[in-house]
Amino acid sequence: MAENRSRPAIGRRPGETQTRGAILEAAECRFAEAGYAASLRSIARDAGVDPALIGHFFGSKAGLFIAAVRWPIDPAETLDVVLSRGPENAGSQLAAMFLRHWGEAENRSPILALIAAAQADAEAALLLRRFLLDRNLLPILEALGSDRRPLRAGLISGQLAGLGLSRYVYGMINPDEYSEEEIAKCVAPVLQHYLTESLE
Amino acid sequence: MAENRSRPAIGRRPGETQTRGAILEAAECRFAEAGYAASLRSIARDAGVDPALIGHFFGSKAGLFIAAVRWPIDPAETLDVVLSRGPENAGSQLAAMFLRHWGEAENRSPILALIAAAQADAEAALLLRRFLLDRNLLPILEALGSDRRPLRAGLISGQLAGLGLSRYVYGMINPDEYSEEEIAKCVAPVLQHYLTESLE
């Protein structure tokens, strides 16, 4: 995701970097228009490259999607914010940060696109899962010294996905009726439970 | 949902009941095959009726979908089970019941279809929301004497939707790795919080 783009092109010829960039740019537009259903053929055509090059650079459609539609929040920032007020406030920090980011349409839009792709395609689900777990939630749980980290990471991502979908897709928690601060207060003890408390 | 089907056809001529039944039967097949994208034209053709009759009986595509793809659990059963061990065990009862039902593919499949329709169409989301809130969660919260019931119902449905999707769609909580009992134990205090504890 974020890191895929800025990965230094060591060992690559300049032409390769340009081709990869052209594919990414075309993919961003096409995926924004048509979601995961956008065709690789149309992306290759827009980028002016042979469709086989997409496989060469990104492995698969899911790989290209995850590289083009990036998670909008830097994992290092998430870690810093969640830990900044001590382990006992990690839940409320995560709740507030999550709701603040989902509240901004320019963040919400790629997150919803990634969730939709994960629902449509098992490989996209796997890549998103790896990013959210390995890069985001497991480092937080490790820093907190929590046990059963993969289970906790799954429970947290489930709570957050359901909260975001309820608020912005299913309409169960109306953003006009309940402020981010109000919902964060309700969800903070739940996230604290999943982050640090005993699951026995 | 469940009740739409068995609604007594008082004041209707027998031909109307049969037509309605034929539309529902055709809709069940088509929606099972193609999801919410199934066309009303194809359903009317299978049922041997004029497409306009779908509007007459079900109001809209969303109305037909919600009537044909029924929520697999009777609201009265949910209420009984959740309250059967006292208010202090409502969270663990709801968690166990939810995970048991999602564990059965024949229940999970209509639930996932309803969630997908709610993501695709605002009217389907509204109808599903009304059913889940008005018929399922609000009566439980009323019986428990909880305050802020619409907010609590939204938080509970978000947690449960996210949990089900994480377990069976996103692959964040692998059913082969974590048993229903194990996950129910982790989620029970969270549901108890949303059901009865102070949200201040």
Side-chain angles (χ1 to χ4, degrees), chain B residues 123-140:
Chain B
E123 198 194 333
L126 176 67
L127 292 175
L128 180 60
R129 192 156 76 232
R130 288 228 178 110
F131 173 76
L132 290 180
L133 268 54
D134 298 353
R135 300 284 324 276
N136 284 271
L137 292 171
L138 292 175
I140 293 172

Side-chain angles (χ1 to χ4, degrees), chain B residues 34-94:
Chain B
Y36 196 71
S39 81
L40 292 184
R41 198 176 298 271
S42 69
I43 292 167
R45 197 173 50 234
D46 292 356
V49 304
D50 187 291
L53 280 175
I54 294 179
H56 170 69
F57 284 110
F58 300 96
S60 64
K61 183 178 186 177
L64 175 61
F65 187 85
I66 296 285
V69 182
R70 293 176 305 284
W71 194 259
I73 310 131
D74 179 19
E77 185 201 336
T78 305
L79 182 71
D80 280 355
V81 171
V82 171
L83 299 177
S84 63
R85 293 185 46 233
E88 71 281 14
N89 290 307
S92 68
Q93 289 291 102
L94 179 56

Side-chain angles (χ1 to χ4, degrees), chain A residues 1-3 71-82 97 131-132 134-137 139-140:
Chain A
M1 313 216 170
E3 76 279 17
W71 192 259
I73 310 132
D74 179 19
E77 186 201 336
T78 305
L79 182 71
D80 280 355
V81 171
V82 172
M97 185 185 189
F131 173 75
L132 290 179
D134 299 352
R135 300 286 321 278
N136 284 273
L137 292 171
I140 292 172

Side-chain angles (χ1 to χ4, degrees), chain A residues 119 129 148 159 170 182, chain B residues 129 148 159 170 182:
Chain A
Q119 287 179 208
R129 192 156 76 234
R148 313 189 72 191
Q159 167 65 88
Y170 308 142
E182 199 169 2
Chain B
R129 192 156 76 232
R148 312 189 74 191
Q159 167 65 88
Y170 308 143
E182 199 170 2

Side-chain angles (χ1 to χ4, degrees), chain B:
Chain B
M1 311 210 173
E3 77 277 21
N4 281 350
R5 276 207 108 184
S6 52
R7 199 163 74 182
I10 294 168
R12 280 189 189 151
R13 287 163 299 152
E16 288 215 335
T17 311
Q18 278 161 21
T19 305
R20 192 177 182 280
I23 295 170
L24 266 182
E25 203 175 308
E28 275 177 54
C29 293
R30 287 283 176 176
F31 285 135
E33 265 171 41
Y36 196 71
S39 81
L40 292 184
R41 198 176 298 271
S42 69
I43 292 167
R45 197 173 50 234
D46 292 356
V49 304
D50 187 291
L53 280 175
I54 294 179
H56 170 69
F57 284 110
F58 300 96
S60 64
K61 183 178 186 177
L64 175 61
F65 187 85
I66 296 285
V69 182
R70 293 176 305 284
W71 194 259
I73 310 131
D74 179 19
E77 185 201 336
T78 305
L79 182 71
D80 280 355
V81 171
V82 171
L83 299 177
S84 63
R85 293 185 46 233
E88 71 281 14
N89 290 307
S92 68
Q93 289 291 102
L94 179 56
M97 185 185 189
F98 176 86
L99 283 153
R100 201 170 56 243
H101 280 299
W102 274 71
E104 290 158 16
E106 72 271 24
N107 291 330
R108 196 161 64 238
S109 150
I111 294 176
L112 290 174
L114 288 161
I115 290 180
Q119 287 179 208
D121 181 274
E123 198 194 333
L126 176 67
L127 292 175
L128 180 60
R129 192 156 76 232
R130 288 228 178 110
F131 173 76
L132 290 180
L133 268 54
D134 298 353
R135 300 284 324 276
N136 284 271
L137 292 171
L138 292 175
I140 293 172
L141 290 160
E142 204 176 330
L144 291 168
S146 302
D147 64 352
R148 312 189 74 191
R149 298 201 275 262
L151 171 59
R152 290 179 188 275
L155 292 165
I156 293 166
S157 59
Q159 167 65 88
L160 292 179
L163 178 63
L165 290 170
S166 290
R167 194 161 163 85
Y168 291 106
V169 180
Y170 308 143
M172 296 277 188
I173 305 171
N174 190 339
D176 297 330
E177 201 168 343
Y178 304 109
S179 70
E180 289 164 15
E181 294 69 28
E182 199 170 2
I183 300 299
K185 202 159 41 172
C186 301
V187 176
V190 167
L191 293 177
Q192 191 68 39
H193 170 68
Y194 289 147
L195 284 166
T196 65
E197 292 168 10
S198 168
L199 297 181
E200 297 311 312

Side-chain angles (χ1 to χ4, degrees), chain A residues 3-160:
Chain A
E3 76 279 17
N4 282 350
R5 277 205 107 184
S6 52
R7 199 163 74 183
I10 294 169
R12 283 190 188 150
R13 286 162 300 151
E16 289 216 333
T17 311
Q18 279 162 20
T19 304
R20 190 176 183 281
I23 295 171
L24 266 181
E25 204 175 309
E28 275 176 55
C29 293
R30 287 283 176 175
F31 285 134
E33 265 171 40
Y36 196 71
S39 81
L40 292 184
R41 198 177 298 271
S42 69
I43 292 167
R45 196 173 50 233
D46 292 357
V49 304
D50 187 293
L53 279 175
I54 294 179
H56 169 70
F57 284 110
F58 299 97
S60 64
K61 184 177 186 177
L64 175 61
F65 186 85
I66 296 284
V69 182
R70 293 175 306 283
W71 192 259
I73 310 132
D74 179 19
E77 186 201 336
T78 305
L79 182 71
D80 280 355
V81 171
V82 172
L83 299 177
S84 63
R85 293 183 47 231
E88 71 282 13
N89 290 307
S92 68
Q93 289 290 102
L94 179 56
M97 185 185 189
F98 176 85
L99 282 154
R100 201 170 55 243
H101 280 300
W102 274 72
E104 290 159 15
E106 71 271 24
N107 291 328
R108 196 161 65 238
S109 152
I111 294 177
L112 289 174
L114 287 161
I115 289 179
Q119 287 179 208
D121 182 273
E123 197 193 334
L126 176 68
L127 292 175
L128 180 60
R129 192 156 76 234
R130 289 228 178 109
F131 173 75
L132 290 179
L133 267 54
D134 299 352
R135 300 286 321 278
N136 284 273
L137 292 171
L138 292 175
I140 292 172
L141 290 161
E142 202 177 332
L144 291 167
S146 302
D147 63 352
R148 313 189 72 191
R149 297 200 275 263
L151 171 59
R152 291 179 187 275
L155 291 165
I156 294 166
S157 59
Q159 167 65 88
L160 293 178

